[in-house]
Amino acid sequence: MAPKKRVVKRRGAAQPSAAGLRLWAPWRYGYLRSVRSDHQACIFCFGRLSEAERRERLVLFENRDVLVMLNKYPYNNGHIMVAPRSHVASPELLARADRAALGDAVAASIKAMRASLHPAAFNVGANLGLAAGAGFAEHMHWHIVPRWAGDNNFMPVLASTRVLSQSLEDSYGQLRPIFKNLGAELS
């Protein structure tokens, strides 16, 4: 089926609603295919990484307890995920020490992003389970999304489209030096 043609009407005429318009995002296919084809793959479970692998995976920090990485498909610039190294689906399944380490990593990550990105606010939360929207439901993680006044404009409302003003590579380059020292904050 061919995509709908967008009709532009002159002044005073009714405009078509954004519903039904298509936004082509072919880059998403690679992500969807990788998730669907390898149900065993977990983006949070990995061993020792070289600096090149760390950059490719967008890992900002990792130690024996937790890891912090940029979200490859962010809601906003600087959107990170903080996960325990333990492969569990929900925080109550973690040992008390692991829950404490995870909470400390979330707090330290917010502190680091305040210093580096200077956001006005944050959204912090976890999607526990597929029905809650978790992309990797088997490995719980916290999302930390920095927010700035005016970062949410008309695009999501009218076109169901988010506009990100910084590339993942630039975000990584800005945040990696700050997160390299996160271990000192957590000890």
Side-chain angles (χ1 to χ4, degrees), residues 19 47 75 82 99 153:
Y75 291 110
V82 181
R99 283 195 309 271
N153 57 25

Side-chain angles (χ1 to χ4, degrees), residues 1 19 23 25 31 43 54 65 78 113 129 135 137 151 156 169:
M1 177 196 256
L23 176 67
Y31 165 72
I43 63 170
R54 184 176 289 109
D65 300 317
M113 289 201 303
D151 68 8
E169 294 80 16

Side-chain angles (χ1 to χ4, degrees), residues 44-63:
F44 304 112
C45 293
F46 52 83
R48 199 160 188 75
L49 299 175
S50 69
E51 194 58 39
E53 290 168 323
R54 184 176 289 109
R55 178 177 285 282
E56 182 181 330
R57 288 176 168 259
L58 303 169
V59 174
L60 298 168
F61 172 81
E62 85 271 3
N63 67 15

Side-chain angles (χ1 to χ4, degrees), residues 26-184:
W27 54 268
R28 294 268 310 159
Y29 182 69
Y31 165 72
L32 295 172
R33 203 171 95 208
S34 70
V35 171
R36 303 269 188 266
S37 66
D38 186 0
H39 293 289
Q40 302 303 317
C42 177
I43 63 170
F44 304 112
C45 293
F46 52 83
R48 199 160 188 75
L49 299 175
S50 69
E51 194 58 39
E53 290 168 323
R54 184 176 289 109
R55 178 177 285 282
E56 182 181 330
R57 288 176 168 259
L58 303 169
V59 174
L60 298 168
F61 172 81
E62 85 271 3
N63 67 15
R64 65 183 173 85
D65 300 317
V66 297
L67 64 100
V68 180
M69 65 192 321
L70 280 168
N71 189 323
K72 194 171 184 178
Y73 304 99
Y75 291 110
N76 211 353
N77 298 344
H79 178 171
I80 65 170
M81 298 177 293
V82 181
R85 293 307 288 245
S86 299
H87 186 88
V88 299
S90 193
E92 75 275 9
L93 302 174
L94 290 168
R96 181 181 298 268
D98 290 338
R99 283 195 309 271
L102 185 60
D104 289 348
V106 167
S109 295
I110 291 169
K111 181 179 178 182
M113 289 201 303
R114 276 192 207 282
S116 179
L117 301 178
H118 310 288
F122 289 93
N123 292 118
V124 180
N127 303 323
L128 303 177
L130 289 175
F136 290 90
E138 309 82 33
H139 198 136
M140 71 92 41
H141 53 281
W142 288 94
H143 290 266
I144 302 175
V145 183
R147 302 304 302 263
W148 294 267
D151 68 8
N152 196 6
N153 57 25
F154 66 92
M155 291 295 286
V157 175
L158 297 180
S160 299
T161 303
R162 294 195 175 272
V163 177
L164 303 175
S165 59
Q166 188 178 41
S167 72
L168 284 172
E169 294 80 16
D170 288 347
S171 291
Y172 184 88
Q174 183 177 5
L175 291 173
R176 175 68 177 136
I178 303 297
F179 277 87
K180 264 186 171 180
N181 300 319
L182 197 69

